Amino acid sequence: MIVSLGLLLLCQLLGEVLARALSLPLPGPIIGMMLMLCLLLLRDKVAAITPQELRDGTLETTSQSILAHLSLLFVPAGVGVVQRLDLFITHGAALVVALLLSTILALLAGLATFRLIARLTGDKAEGRE
Amino acid sequence: MSQDFALWVYLSHTPLLWLTVTICAYLIADRASLYLQRHPLANPVLHSVWILGLVLSLTQTPYRTYFEGAQFVHFMLGPATVALAVPLYANRAIVMRAIPPMLGALLVGGTVALVSAVLIAQALGVPKDVLISLAPKSVTGAVGMAVAESMGGDPALTAVLVISTGIIGAIIVTPLFNLTGVTDMRARGFAAGVAAHGIGTARAFQVSALAGTFSGIGMGLNAILTPILAPLLLPLLLK
């Protein structure tokens, strides 16, 4: 598990370094995610030199147990919101209405576009569970 | 009494206390959410947040003190984002086939998120500097704050609006999409990630691993799109 955690951190660190060194308009962790994806793809090609943890499913288990509690990780920032509710209150209900309506519109627009293009490109509605 | 006070002084100055309280509050909220079969209104982020807010205000603890403990949880957001590569890899064949619909949904969903928020708030009389802070509300925290700051907005307000959008999105996404009758978990997850970033993604993982995977991609891609869109669209929208 420590190897897996180390790899996640290493990818993030490299992501942060790349983002800064090349002034990429992307957050370091997202570049780290791409690096981890490359690492996983590479693992299939050069199985002999990859560490045990990358092949026996430990990385998968570690990642899944972090992602299963993704909600927890937003809690500290969320508590910060409670402390700054004054920012919200000064602009009254207008912001709440804008957030609510805009989120509904954005969700529906994204969903409809995805389905429309999927259908146009002859997609047989995969992803049904 | 003074003994109790000495204990409190000790506890309130160690990160241990607020780290433990954060995890306990989350466990209560998460168990309740599980018990209610992941009902949208039993959102674990929402309920952990108000429980902790209440505890902090009752103990008169400043956020700074709280965050010294909670920062260890907050820190894990980075490695968790990297960990999204694992479900992405596992579903890579499905993801590769869905590139055209994803790009379309990204462009339309990301644009609607930004334009509709600014136009609705403007029509309701929200001042211009707040509109700038509102524009990147659908994009993940750090990126949204950077966008707002570069355009003369208030990053603290953006942080509040980003988290609120995430919680609103996570609560409404399931009932809203059930109304549409769309059962494609790729489309549902992706739209949630574009509109409601990581908190939407956390919700999507509660619903299905495939929805979570696509939501993570939506979040990541919108973190690329919104910093490009905001400087292009805002001057056209603001009167």
Short mmCIF file of all heavy atoms in Angstrom, two decimals, chain A residues 12 26-27 33 36 43-44 63 69 71-76 78 80-82 88 91 99-100 102 104 107 110 113-115 117 123 126-129, chain B residues 26 49 52 63 73 78-79 84-86 89 97 101 104-105 108 113 116-117 130 137 143 160 164-165 172 177 183-187 198 208 210 224:
data_model
loop_
_atom_site.label_atom_id
_atom_site.label_comp_id
_atom_site.label_asym_id
_atom_site.label_seq_id
_atom_site.Cartn_x
_atom_site.Cartn_y
_atom_site.Cartn_z
N GLN A 12 1.63 13.12 -8.59
CA GLN A 12 1.16 14.48 -8.30
C GLN A 12 2.32 15.47 -8.28
O GLN A 12 2.24 16.56 -8.84
CB GLN A 12 0.43 14.52 -6.96
CG GLN A 12 -0.24 15.87 -6.72
CD GLN A 12 -0.81 16.03 -5.32
OE1 GLN A 12 -0.91 15.06 -4.57
NE2 GLN A 12 -1.19 17.23 -4.98
N LEU A 26 -2.96 23.93 -16.39
CA LEU A 26 -3.67 22.79 -15.81
C LEU A 26 -3.19 22.58 -14.38
O LEU A 26 -2.01 22.74 -14.11
CB LEU A 26 -3.29 21.53 -16.60
CG LEU A 26 -4.19 21.10 -17.73
CD1 LEU A 26 -3.65 19.85 -18.37
CD2 LEU A 26 -5.59 20.84 -17.24
N PRO A 27 -4.09 22.17 -13.48
CA PRO A 27 -3.63 21.89 -12.12
C PRO A 27 -2.71 20.67 -12.08
O PRO A 27 -2.92 19.72 -12.83
CB PRO A 27 -4.92 21.62 -11.34
CG PRO A 27 -6.03 21.68 -12.30
CD PRO A 27 -5.52 21.99 -13.65
N MET A 33 -2.70 12.80 -12.84
CA MET A 33 -3.64 11.75 -13.24
C MET A 33 -3.25 11.19 -14.61
O MET A 33 -3.25 9.99 -14.84
CB MET A 33 -5.07 12.30 -13.26
CG MET A 33 -6.10 11.35 -13.82
SD MET A 33 -7.78 11.97 -13.62
CE MET A 33 -7.90 13.12 -14.96
N MET A 36 -0.20 9.03 -14.26
CA MET A 36 -0.55 7.73 -13.69
C MET A 36 -1.20 6.84 -14.74
O MET A 36 -0.92 5.64 -14.81
CB MET A 36 -1.50 7.92 -12.49
CG MET A 36 -1.97 6.66 -11.83
SD MET A 36 -0.64 5.61 -11.21
CE MET A 36 -0.47 6.25 -9.55
N ARG A 43 2.68 -0.28 -17.90
CA ARG A 43 2.79 -1.50 -17.09
C ARG A 43 2.50 -2.75 -17.92
O ARG A 43 3.16 -3.77 -17.78
CB ARG A 43 1.80 -1.41 -15.93
CG ARG A 43 1.66 -2.66 -15.13
CD ARG A 43 0.57 -2.52 -14.11
NE ARG A 43 -0.76 -2.42 -14.73
CZ ARG A 43 -1.89 -2.39 -14.04
NH1 ARG A 43 -1.85 -2.41 -12.73
NH2 ARG A 43 -3.05 -2.31 -14.65
N ASP A 44 1.51 -2.62 -18.83
CA ASP A 44 1.16 -3.78 -19.65
C ASP A 44 2.29 -4.16 -20.60
O ASP A 44 2.44 -5.30 -20.98
CB ASP A 44 -0.10 -3.47 -20.46
CG ASP A 44 -1.27 -3.10 -19.55
OD1 ASP A 44 -1.19 -3.44 -18.36
OD2 ASP A 44 -2.22 -2.47 -20.03
N SER A 63 -6.40 2.95 -4.60
CA SER A 63 -7.08 4.06 -5.28
C SER A 63 -8.58 4.00 -5.03
O SER A 63 -9.22 5.03 -4.77
CB SER A 63 -6.82 4.01 -6.78
OG SER A 63 -5.45 4.12 -7.00
N HIS A 69 -14.23 7.41 -0.63
CA HIS A 69 -14.52 8.46 0.36
C HIS A 69 -14.11 9.84 -0.16
O HIS A 69 -13.66 10.69 0.61
CB HIS A 69 -13.84 8.11 1.69
CG HIS A 69 -14.44 6.90 2.31
ND1 HIS A 69 -15.68 6.90 2.90
CD2 HIS A 69 -13.99 5.62 2.35
CE1 HIS A 69 -15.97 5.67 3.29
NE2 HIS A 69 -14.97 4.87 2.97
N SER A 71 -16.01 12.17 -0.92
CA SER A 71 -16.82 13.20 -0.25
C SER A 71 -16.11 13.77 0.97
O SER A 71 -16.15 14.98 1.22
CB SER A 71 -18.15 12.62 0.23
OG SER A 71 -18.90 12.19 -0.87
N LEU A 72 -15.46 12.89 1.75
CA LEU A 72 -14.75 13.33 2.96
C LEU A 72 -13.75 14.44 2.65
O LEU A 72 -13.63 15.40 3.41
CB LEU A 72 -14.03 12.13 3.59
CG LEU A 72 -12.98 12.44 4.67
CD1 LEU A 72 -13.63 13.04 5.91
CD2 LEU A 72 -12.19 11.18 5.04
N LEU A 73 -13.08 14.32 1.49
CA LEU A 73 -11.98 15.23 1.19
C LEU A 73 -12.46 16.67 0.92
O LEU A 73 -11.68 17.60 0.98
CB LEU A 73 -11.18 14.70 -0.01
CG LEU A 73 -10.80 13.22 0.07
CD1 LEU A 73 -9.89 12.83 -1.09
CD2 LEU A 73 -10.11 12.88 1.38
N PHE A 74 -13.77 16.82 0.62
CA PHE A 74 -14.30 18.17 0.37
C PHE A 74 -14.83 18.83 1.65
O PHE A 74 -15.21 19.99 1.62
CB PHE A 74 -15.40 18.12 -0.68
CG PHE A 74 -14.88 17.80 -2.04
CD1 PHE A 74 -14.92 16.52 -2.54
CD2 PHE A 74 -14.30 18.79 -2.82
CE1 PHE A 74 -14.41 16.21 -3.78
CE2 PHE A 74 -13.78 18.50 -4.07
CZ PHE A 74 -13.83 17.21 -4.55
N VAL A 75 -14.84 18.06 2.73
CA VAL A 75 -15.43 18.58 3.97
C VAL A 75 -14.67 19.80 4.54
O VAL A 75 -15.30 20.81 4.83
CB VAL A 75 -15.63 17.45 5.00
CG1 VAL A 75 -16.02 18.00 6.35
CG2 VAL A 75 -16.68 16.46 4.50
N PRO A 76 -13.32 19.74 4.66
CA PRO A 76 -12.64 20.92 5.22
C PRO A 76 -12.92 22.20 4.42
O PRO A 76 -13.18 23.26 5.02
CB PRO A 76 -11.16 20.54 5.15
CG PRO A 76 -11.16 19.06 5.22
CD PRO A 76 -12.37 18.62 4.46
N GLY A 78 -15.54 22.73 2.60
CA GLY A 78 -16.96 23.01 2.81
C GLY A 78 -17.19 23.75 4.12
O GLY A 78 -18.01 24.67 4.18
N GLY A 80 -15.18 25.75 5.45
CA GLY A 80 -14.75 27.12 5.16
C GLY A 80 -15.90 27.96 4.61
O GLY A 80 -16.00 29.15 4.90
N VAL A 81 -16.78 27.32 3.84
CA VAL A 81 -17.93 28.03 3.27
C VAL A 81 -18.87 28.50 4.38
O VAL A 81 -19.35 29.63 4.37
CB VAL A 81 -18.69 27.12 2.27
CG1 VAL A 81 -19.97 27.78 1.81
CG2 VAL A 81 -17.80 26.81 1.09
N VAL A 82 -19.10 27.62 5.37
CA VAL A 82 -19.98 27.98 6.49
C VAL A 82 -19.45 29.24 7.18
O VAL A 82 -20.22 30.11 7.60
CB VAL A 82 -20.07 26.81 7.50
CG1 VAL A 82 -20.94 27.19 8.69
CG2 VAL A 82 -20.62 25.57 6.83
N PHE A 88 -22.19 35.37 1.02
CA PHE A 88 -23.39 34.95 0.34
C PHE A 88 -24.55 35.87 0.70
O PHE A 88 -25.32 36.31 -0.13
CB PHE A 88 -23.74 33.54 0.82
CG PHE A 88 -23.88 32.57 -0.29
CD1 PHE A 88 -22.98 31.53 -0.43
CD2 PHE A 88 -24.91 32.71 -1.20
CE1 PHE A 88 -23.11 30.63 -1.46
CE2 PHE A 88 -25.03 31.81 -2.23
CZ PHE A 88 -24.13 30.77 -2.36
N HIS A 91 -25.35 39.29 -0.93
CA HIS A 91 -25.95 39.36 -2.25
C HIS A 91 -27.28 38.62 -2.32
O HIS A 91 -27.84 38.41 -3.41
CB HIS A 91 -24.97 38.87 -3.31
CG HIS A 91 -23.68 39.59 -3.25
ND1 HIS A 91 -23.57 40.92 -3.60
CD2 HIS A 91 -22.47 39.23 -2.81
CE1 HIS A 91 -22.32 41.32 -3.40
NE2 HIS A 91 -21.64 40.31 -2.92
N LEU A 99 -27.16 30.04 -8.94
CA LEU A 99 -26.44 28.76 -8.82
C LEU A 99 -27.35 27.58 -9.13
O LEU A 99 -26.98 26.68 -9.88
CB LEU A 99 -25.86 28.59 -7.41
CG LEU A 99 -24.63 29.43 -7.04
CD1 LEU A 99 -24.12 29.01 -5.67
CD2 LEU A 99 -23.53 29.27 -8.08
N LEU A 100 -28.54 27.62 -8.56
CA LEU A 100 -29.47 26.50 -8.73
C LEU A 100 -29.89 26.34 -10.19
O LEU A 100 -29.74 25.27 -10.78
CB LEU A 100 -30.69 26.71 -7.82
CG LEU A 100 -31.66 25.55 -7.72
CD1 LEU A 100 -30.99 24.33 -7.10
CD2 LEU A 100 -32.88 25.93 -6.89
N SER A 102 -28.55 27.66 -12.92
CA SER A 102 -27.43 27.45 -13.83
C SER A 102 -26.92 26.00 -13.73
O SER A 102 -26.55 25.41 -14.75
CB SER A 102 -26.33 28.44 -13.50
OG SER A 102 -25.10 27.95 -13.90
N ILE A 104 -28.76 23.36 -12.94
CA ILE A 104 -29.76 22.51 -13.63
C ILE A 104 -29.55 22.61 -15.15
O ILE A 104 -29.49 21.59 -15.84
CB ILE A 104 -31.20 22.96 -13.26
CG1 ILE A 104 -31.48 22.63 -11.78
CG2 ILE A 104 -32.24 22.28 -14.16
CD1 ILE A 104 -32.81 23.15 -11.25
N LEU A 107 -26.29 20.84 -16.27
CA LEU A 107 -26.42 19.38 -16.20
C LEU A 107 -27.21 18.86 -17.40
O LEU A 107 -26.80 17.92 -18.08
CB LEU A 107 -27.12 18.97 -14.89
CG LEU A 107 -26.28 18.99 -13.61
CD1 LEU A 107 -27.17 18.82 -12.38
CD2 LEU A 107 -25.20 17.91 -13.64
N GLY A 110 -25.32 19.28 -20.77
CA GLY A 110 -24.26 18.29 -20.92
C GLY A 110 -24.82 16.91 -21.25
O GLY A 110 -24.35 16.23 -22.17
N THR A 113 -26.38 16.88 -24.88
CA THR A 113 -25.36 16.91 -25.93
C THR A 113 -24.66 15.56 -26.03
O THR A 113 -24.42 15.05 -27.13
CB THR A 113 -24.33 18.02 -25.65
OG1 THR A 113 -25.02 19.21 -25.33
CG2 THR A 113 -23.43 18.24 -26.83
N PHE A 114 -24.32 15.00 -24.88
CA PHE A 114 -23.64 13.69 -24.87
C PHE A 114 -24.50 12.66 -25.60
O PHE A 114 -24.02 11.96 -26.49
CB PHE A 114 -23.38 13.25 -23.42
CG PHE A 114 -22.45 12.08 -23.29
CD1 PHE A 114 -21.17 12.25 -22.78
CD2 PHE A 114 -22.84 10.80 -23.68
CE1 PHE A 114 -20.29 11.17 -22.66
CE2 PHE A 114 -21.97 9.72 -23.55
CZ PHE A 114 -20.71 9.90 -23.04
N ARG A 115 -25.78 12.59 -25.25
CA ARG A 115 -26.65 11.58 -25.85
C ARG A 115 -26.86 11.84 -27.35
O ARG A 115 -26.88 10.91 -28.14
CB ARG A 115 -28.02 11.55 -25.14
CG ARG A 115 -28.00 10.91 -23.76
CD ARG A 115 -27.46 9.50 -23.76
NE ARG A 115 -28.11 8.64 -24.74
CZ ARG A 115 -27.52 7.65 -25.39
NH1 ARG A 115 -26.25 7.39 -25.18
NH2 ARG A 115 -28.18 6.94 -26.26
N ILE A 117 -24.83 13.40 -29.54
CA ILE A 117 -23.64 13.06 -30.33
C ILE A 117 -23.41 11.55 -30.32
O ILE A 117 -23.04 10.96 -31.33
CB ILE A 117 -22.41 13.85 -29.84
CG1 ILE A 117 -22.65 15.35 -30.04
CG2 ILE A 117 -21.14 13.41 -30.60
CD1 ILE A 117 -21.53 16.24 -29.63
N ASP A 123 -23.74 5.17 -31.67
CA ASP A 123 -23.43 4.55 -30.39
C ASP A 123 -24.68 3.82 -29.89
O ASP A 123 -25.77 4.34 -29.93
CB ASP A 123 -23.03 5.68 -29.44
CG ASP A 123 -22.65 5.22 -28.08
OD1 ASP A 123 -23.45 4.52 -27.46
OD2 ASP A 123 -21.55 5.58 -27.64
N GLU A 126 -24.27 2.47 -24.77
CA GLU A 126 -23.52 1.72 -23.77
C GLU A 126 -23.68 2.45 -22.45
O GLU A 126 -24.24 3.53 -22.40
CB GLU A 126 -22.03 1.75 -24.09
CG GLU A 126 -21.62 1.12 -25.38
CD GLU A 126 -20.13 1.36 -25.58
OE1 GLU A 126 -19.34 0.64 -24.96
OE2 GLU A 126 -19.77 2.28 -26.33
N GLY A 127 -23.09 1.92 -21.43
CA GLY A 127 -23.10 2.63 -20.17
C GLY A 127 -24.40 2.48 -19.44
O GLY A 127 -24.65 3.14 -18.45
N ARG A 128 -25.26 1.57 -19.93
CA ARG A 128 -26.50 1.32 -19.20
C ARG A 128 -26.19 0.30 -18.10
O ARG A 128 -25.54 -0.69 -18.37
CB ARG A 128 -27.55 0.77 -20.17
CG ARG A 128 -28.96 0.99 -19.71
CD ARG A 128 -29.93 0.68 -20.81
NE ARG A 128 -30.16 1.84 -21.68
CZ ARG A 128 -30.80 1.75 -22.85
NH1 ARG A 128 -31.22 0.59 -23.26
NH2 ARG A 128 -30.99 2.81 -23.58
N GLU A 129 -26.66 0.60 -16.91
CA GLU A 129 -26.32 -0.34 -15.83
C GLU A 129 -27.56 -0.90 -15.16
O GLU A 129 -28.57 -0.22 -15.11
CB GLU A 129 -25.45 0.36 -14.79
CG GLU A 129 -24.08 0.63 -15.36
CD GLU A 129 -23.06 0.94 -14.28
OE1 GLU A 129 -23.45 1.15 -13.12
OE2 GLU A 129 -21.87 0.97 -14.61
N TYR B 26 -17.89 13.06 9.33
CA TYR B 26 -18.10 12.45 8.01
C TYR B 26 -18.67 11.04 8.16
O TYR B 26 -19.58 10.65 7.42
CB TYR B 26 -16.79 12.41 7.22
CG TYR B 26 -16.88 11.53 6.01
CD1 TYR B 26 -17.55 11.94 4.86
CD2 TYR B 26 -16.32 10.24 6.02
CE1 TYR B 26 -17.67 11.11 3.76
CE2 TYR B 26 -16.43 9.41 4.92
CZ TYR B 26 -17.10 9.85 3.80
OH TYR B 26 -17.22 9.02 2.71
N VAL B 49 -20.63 19.11 6.76
CA VAL B 49 -20.27 20.52 6.82
C VAL B 49 -21.08 21.28 7.88
O VAL B 49 -20.52 22.02 8.68
CB VAL B 49 -20.40 21.17 5.42
CG1 VAL B 49 -20.49 22.67 5.50
CG2 VAL B 49 -19.23 20.75 4.54
N LEU B 52 -20.06 20.13 11.46
CA LEU B 52 -18.78 20.73 11.87
C LEU B 52 -18.91 22.23 12.09
O LEU B 52 -18.33 22.77 13.04
CB LEU B 52 -17.70 20.42 10.82
CG LEU B 52 -17.22 18.97 10.85
CD1 LEU B 52 -16.51 18.61 9.56
CD2 LEU B 52 -16.30 18.75 12.04
N TYR B 63 -11.68 29.11 12.17
CA TYR B 63 -11.47 28.20 11.05
C TYR B 63 -9.99 27.84 10.89
O TYR B 63 -9.65 26.71 10.58
CB TYR B 63 -12.00 28.82 9.75
CG TYR B 63 -11.89 27.88 8.57
CD1 TYR B 63 -12.68 26.73 8.50
CD2 TYR B 63 -10.99 28.13 7.54
CE1 TYR B 63 -12.58 25.86 7.43
CE2 TYR B 63 -10.89 27.26 6.46
CZ TYR B 63 -11.68 26.14 6.41
OH TYR B 63 -11.58 25.28 5.35
N VAL B 73 -6.82 15.95 5.71
CA VAL B 73 -7.88 15.42 4.86
C VAL B 73 -7.90 16.20 3.54
O VAL B 73 -7.93 15.62 2.45
CB VAL B 73 -9.24 15.53 5.58
CG1 VAL B 73 -10.38 15.26 4.63
CG2 VAL B 73 -9.29 14.56 6.76
N GLY B 78 -5.41 15.99 -3.72
CA GLY B 78 -4.42 15.86 -4.80
C GLY B 78 -4.21 14.40 -5.19
O GLY B 78 -4.50 14.01 -6.34
N PRO B 79 -3.75 13.56 -4.25
CA PRO B 79 -3.59 12.13 -4.57
C PRO B 79 -4.89 11.49 -5.06
O PRO B 79 -4.84 10.61 -5.93
CB PRO B 79 -3.16 11.52 -3.23
CG PRO B 79 -2.59 12.64 -2.44
CD PRO B 79 -3.25 13.90 -2.92
N LEU B 84 -7.88 8.94 -9.78
CA LEU B 84 -8.93 8.83 -10.80
C LEU B 84 -8.42 8.11 -12.05
O LEU B 84 -9.21 7.60 -12.84
CB LEU B 84 -9.46 10.21 -11.19
CG LEU B 84 -10.36 10.92 -10.18
CD1 LEU B 84 -10.61 12.36 -10.61
CD2 LEU B 84 -11.69 10.18 -10.07
N ALA B 85 -7.08 8.06 -12.21
CA ALA B 85 -6.50 7.36 -13.36
C ALA B 85 -6.83 5.88 -13.32
O ALA B 85 -6.94 5.24 -14.38
CB ALA B 85 -4.98 7.56 -13.39
N VAL B 86 -7.03 5.31 -12.13
CA VAL B 86 -7.27 3.87 -12.02
C VAL B 86 -8.62 3.45 -12.62
O VAL B 86 -8.64 2.59 -13.51
CB VAL B 86 -7.08 3.39 -10.55
CG1 VAL B 86 -7.59 1.99 -10.36
CG2 VAL B 86 -5.61 3.47 -10.18
N TYR B 89 -8.41 3.99 -16.34
CA TYR B 89 -7.68 2.92 -17.01
C TYR B 89 -8.57 1.68 -17.15
O TYR B 89 -8.63 1.07 -18.22
CB TYR B 89 -6.41 2.60 -16.22
CG TYR B 89 -5.68 1.38 -16.71
CD1 TYR B 89 -4.84 1.43 -17.82
CD2 TYR B 89 -5.83 0.16 -16.06
CE1 TYR B 89 -4.17 0.31 -18.27
CE2 TYR B 89 -5.16 -0.98 -16.50
CZ TYR B 89 -4.34 -0.89 -17.60
OH TYR B 89 -3.69 -2.01 -18.04
N ARG B 97 -14.13 5.07 -26.87
CA ARG B 97 -15.23 5.10 -27.85
C ARG B 97 -16.14 6.30 -27.65
O ARG B 97 -16.93 6.62 -28.52
CB ARG B 97 -16.05 3.81 -27.74
CG ARG B 97 -15.42 2.64 -28.47
CD ARG B 97 -16.45 1.54 -28.72
NE ARG B 97 -16.92 0.94 -27.47
CZ ARG B 97 -16.31 -0.05 -26.84
NH1 ARG B 97 -15.21 -0.56 -27.34
NH2 ARG B 97 -16.80 -0.55 -25.73
N PRO B 101 -18.83 12.31 -28.09
CA PRO B 101 -19.87 12.84 -27.19
C PRO B 101 -19.29 13.59 -25.99
O PRO B 101 -19.89 14.59 -25.54
CB PRO B 101 -20.65 11.61 -26.74
CG PRO B 101 -19.95 10.43 -27.25
CD PRO B 101 -19.00 10.85 -28.31
N GLY B 104 -18.26 17.17 -27.12
CA GLY B 104 -19.46 17.97 -27.35
C GLY B 104 -20.09 18.39 -26.03
O GLY B 104 -20.41 19.57 -25.81
N ALA B 105 -20.25 17.42 -25.13
CA ALA B 105 -20.90 17.69 -23.84
C ALA B 105 -20.04 18.65 -23.01
O ALA B 105 -20.57 19.48 -22.27
CB ALA B 105 -21.13 16.39 -23.08
N VAL B 108 -20.59 22.28 -24.64
CA VAL B 108 -21.92 22.82 -24.39
C VAL B 108 -22.16 22.97 -22.88
O VAL B 108 -22.57 24.04 -22.41
CB VAL B 108 -23.01 21.94 -25.04
CG1 VAL B 108 -24.40 22.46 -24.72
CG2 VAL B 108 -22.80 21.89 -26.55
N ALA B 113 -22.85 26.37 -18.24
CA ALA B 113 -22.61 26.58 -16.81
C ALA B 113 -22.15 28.01 -16.55
O ALA B 113 -22.61 28.67 -15.62
CB ALA B 113 -21.56 25.59 -16.31
N SER B 116 -24.97 30.87 -18.29
CA SER B 116 -26.27 30.96 -17.62
C SER B 116 -26.11 31.56 -16.22
O SER B 116 -26.93 32.38 -15.81
CB SER B 116 -26.93 29.58 -17.55
OG SER B 116 -26.20 28.71 -16.72
N ALA B 117 -25.05 31.17 -15.51
CA ALA B 117 -24.87 31.71 -14.15
C ALA B 117 -24.72 33.23 -14.20
O ALA B 117 -25.36 33.97 -13.44
CB ALA B 117 -23.66 31.07 -13.49
N VAL B 130 -18.97 40.68 -8.48
CA VAL B 130 -19.44 39.38 -8.00
C VAL B 130 -19.67 38.44 -9.18
O VAL B 130 -19.40 37.23 -9.10
CB VAL B 130 -20.73 39.54 -7.15
CG1 VAL B 130 -21.25 38.20 -6.67
CG2 VAL B 130 -20.45 40.44 -5.96
N LYS B 137 -17.74 29.05 -11.40
CA LYS B 137 -18.27 28.29 -10.26
C LYS B 137 -18.38 26.79 -10.49
O LYS B 137 -18.48 26.04 -9.52
CB LYS B 137 -19.63 28.85 -9.85
CG LYS B 137 -20.63 28.84 -11.01
CD LYS B 137 -21.82 27.96 -10.76
CE LYS B 137 -22.81 27.99 -11.88
NZ LYS B 137 -22.59 26.92 -12.88
N VAL B 143 -8.60 25.88 -9.56
CA VAL B 143 -8.66 26.45 -10.91
C VAL B 143 -9.65 27.62 -10.93
O VAL B 143 -9.36 28.69 -11.47
CB VAL B 143 -9.06 25.37 -11.95
CG1 VAL B 143 -9.20 25.96 -13.33
CG2 VAL B 143 -8.04 24.25 -11.95
N VAL B 160 -16.38 29.87 -2.17
CA VAL B 160 -17.70 29.63 -1.58
C VAL B 160 -18.70 29.17 -2.66
O VAL B 160 -19.45 28.21 -2.47
CB VAL B 160 -18.21 30.91 -0.87
CG1 VAL B 160 -19.67 30.76 -0.46
CG2 VAL B 160 -17.35 31.24 0.34
N SER B 164 -20.54 25.51 -3.08
CA SER B 164 -22.01 25.50 -3.08
C SER B 164 -22.55 24.85 -4.34
O SER B 164 -23.50 24.06 -4.29
CB SER B 164 -22.56 26.92 -2.98
OG SER B 164 -21.96 27.59 -1.90
N THR B 165 -21.94 25.19 -5.50
CA THR B 165 -22.37 24.58 -6.76
C THR B 165 -22.20 23.07 -6.71
O THR B 165 -23.09 22.32 -7.13
CB THR B 165 -21.53 25.14 -7.93
OG1 THR B 165 -21.70 26.55 -7.97
CG2 THR B 165 -21.93 24.53 -9.26
N ILE B 172 -29.04 17.57 -6.72
CA ILE B 172 -30.12 17.55 -7.73
C ILE B 172 -29.86 16.58 -8.88
O ILE B 172 -30.80 16.22 -9.58
CB ILE B 172 -30.41 18.95 -8.31
CG1 ILE B 172 -29.19 19.52 -9.01
CG2 ILE B 172 -30.96 19.88 -7.24
CD1 ILE B 172 -29.48 20.80 -9.75
N PHE B 177 -31.89 13.80 -13.45
CA PHE B 177 -31.61 12.89 -14.57
C PHE B 177 -32.61 11.73 -14.61
O PHE B 177 -32.90 11.19 -15.68
CB PHE B 177 -30.17 12.38 -14.50
CG PHE B 177 -29.16 13.41 -14.95
CD1 PHE B 177 -27.80 13.17 -14.83
CD2 PHE B 177 -29.57 14.61 -15.51
CE1 PHE B 177 -26.87 14.12 -15.26
CE2 PHE B 177 -28.64 15.56 -15.94
CZ PHE B 177 -27.28 15.32 -15.82
N THR B 183 -30.63 6.62 -19.17
CA THR B 183 -30.03 5.63 -18.27
C THR B 183 -28.53 5.44 -18.56
O THR B 183 -27.87 4.65 -17.91
CB THR B 183 -30.72 4.26 -18.43
OG1 THR B 183 -30.73 3.95 -19.83
CG2 THR B 183 -32.13 4.28 -17.87
N ASP B 184 -28.03 6.17 -19.56
CA ASP B 184 -26.61 6.06 -19.94
C ASP B 184 -25.74 6.68 -18.84
O ASP B 184 -25.70 7.90 -18.69
CB ASP B 184 -26.43 6.78 -21.28
CG ASP B 184 -25.00 6.66 -21.81
OD1 ASP B 184 -24.10 6.26 -21.05
OD2 ASP B 184 -24.82 6.97 -23.00
N MET B 185 -25.06 5.81 -18.08
CA MET B 185 -24.26 6.30 -16.95
C MET B 185 -23.05 7.11 -17.39
O MET B 185 -22.50 7.89 -16.62
CB MET B 185 -23.81 5.12 -16.07
CG MET B 185 -24.91 4.64 -15.16
SD MET B 185 -25.47 5.96 -14.04
CE MET B 185 -27.06 5.34 -13.55
N ARG B 186 -22.61 6.91 -18.64
CA ARG B 186 -21.49 7.73 -19.14
C ARG B 186 -21.95 9.18 -19.25
O ARG B 186 -21.28 10.10 -18.79
CB ARG B 186 -21.05 7.25 -20.53
CG ARG B 186 -20.65 5.80 -20.61
CD ARG B 186 -20.50 5.38 -22.05
NE ARG B 186 -21.72 5.67 -22.83
CZ ARG B 186 -21.80 5.71 -24.14
NH1 ARG B 186 -20.73 5.46 -24.87
NH2 ARG B 186 -22.92 5.98 -24.75
N ALA B 187 -23.11 9.38 -19.89
CA ALA B 187 -23.64 10.72 -20.10
C ALA B 187 -23.97 11.39 -18.77
O ALA B 187 -23.64 12.56 -18.54
CB ALA B 187 -24.88 10.66 -20.99
N GLY B 198 -15.64 18.06 -8.48
CA GLY B 198 -15.32 16.91 -7.64
C GLY B 198 -16.45 16.44 -6.74
O GLY B 198 -16.57 15.24 -6.47
N SER B 208 -22.56 4.86 -9.51
CA SER B 208 -21.93 3.75 -10.23
C SER B 208 -20.49 4.10 -10.55
O SER B 208 -20.14 5.27 -10.71
CB SER B 208 -22.70 3.43 -11.52
OG SER B 208 -22.17 4.12 -12.63
N LEU B 210 -18.91 3.51 -13.27
CA LEU B 210 -18.80 4.05 -14.63
C LEU B 210 -19.17 5.54 -14.64
O LEU B 210 -18.47 6.36 -15.24
CB LEU B 210 -19.72 3.26 -15.57
CG LEU B 210 -19.50 3.53 -17.05
CD1 LEU B 210 -18.10 3.15 -17.49
CD2 LEU B 210 -20.54 2.79 -17.89
N ILE B 224 -9.74 22.47 -17.93
CA ILE B 224 -8.98 23.01 -19.07
C ILE B 224 -9.82 24.06 -19.79
O ILE B 224 -9.33 25.11 -20.17
CB ILE B 224 -8.60 21.87 -20.06
CG1 ILE B 224 -7.83 20.78 -19.32
CG2 ILE B 224 -7.81 22.42 -21.24
CD1 ILE B 224 -7.54 19.54 -20.17
#
